[in-house]
Structure formats: structure tokens, C-alpha cells
């Protein structure tokens, strides 16, 4: 299982541990990921996604999964999130036509 947020695409980054004597050794900074269930208002379904805590706060700020995922770029989204995005867009287009 990769350590990558399914909505924002953030993953591990590398840096250095720096000792008191200024010796640098490689280390990884891992994102803070949680498996959460988020609800799509348009689809009326609940999806289980592995997202970062920052993305969870962004979902609250933007007004839910639908508002966030429609404006997100496809390069950032995982395959599962892209599938959800296509379903949400189709449902919103269907509601707008009716």
C-alpha cells in the first residue's frame, strides 16, 4: 500500500537527520494518512479513502467531497478518486439537465 494521499497526491519526501556534529543522514518524512469514510452528497454513497489530515481539513473547508473532487486535477487524484469524480460529474450534469 503506497503512502500517498488519494485526493491531494502528497507522498513521502526526503531530507536529512542532522546530528550535533553536523553529520547528515538520509531520512523520510511520511505524510499523516488516515483511512476515512467520506460521503458524496450527489451520489448518496459513502467511500473509504486514505487521505492526509490536511486533505480532511480541506474537505471541510471546501464544503464536502463533491465540491473538492470536481475542481481537483486528475494528476493528483488516485484511480479510485478519478472514478468517483467521473460519477459525480455525470450525476451533476444529469441534475442540471433535469
Amino acid at each position: 500500500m503506497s503512502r500517498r494521499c488519494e485526493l491531494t497526491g502528497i507522498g513521502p519526501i526526503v531530507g536529512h537527520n542532522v546530528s550535533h556534529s553536523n553529520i547528515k543522514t538520509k531520512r523520510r518524512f511520511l505524510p499523516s494518512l488516515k483511512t476515512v469514510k467520506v460521503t458524496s452528497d450527489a451520489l448518496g454513497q459513502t467511500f473509504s479513502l486514505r487521505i492526509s489530515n490536511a486533505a480532511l481539513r480541506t474537505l471541510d473547508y471546501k464544503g464536502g467531497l463533491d465540491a473538492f473532487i470536481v475542481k481537483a486535477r486528475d494528476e493528483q487524484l488516485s484511480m479510485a478518486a478519478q472514478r468517483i469524480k467521473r460519477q459525480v460529474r455525470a450525476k451533476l450534469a444529469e441534475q442540471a439537465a433535469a
Side-chain angles (χ1 to χ4, degrees):
M1 187 181 295
S2 71
R3 294 194 174 268
R4 190 160 295 276
C5 177
E6 293 193 62
L7 295 181
T8 59
I10 64 167
I13 56 175
V14 293
H16 290 105
N17 278 332
V18 181
S19 69
H20 180 69
S21 61
N22 207 27
I23 296 172
K24 296 166 186 71
T25 56
K26 288 278 193 176
R27 66 161 291 182
R28 291 176 64 187
F29 294 93
L30 300 176
S32 177
L33 297 177
K34 277 189 170 181
T35 302
V36 295
K37 292 184 178 183
V38 290
T39 304
S40 169
D41 296 329
L43 299 175
Q45 289 181 326
T46 302
F47 299 98
S48 180
L49 296 173
R50 194 157 188 239
I51 62 175
S52 64
N53 291 337
L56 190 58
R57 289 195 308 270
T58 304
L59 283 179
D60 289 339
Y61 178 76
K62 298 275 184 175
L65 178 65
D66 298 337
F68 177 84
I69 208 164
V70 168
K71 293 184 180 182
R73 294 186 310 188
D74 286 341
E75 298 87 39
Q76 293 177 336
L77 300 174
S78 68
M79 296 305 289
Q82 288 179 15
R83 195 174 311 117
I84 295 169
K85 180 178 179 176
R86 283 192 298 272
Q87 291 175 355
V88 168
R89 278 193 153 166
K91 188 70 168 184
L92 292 176
E94 177 184 309
Q95 290 175 354

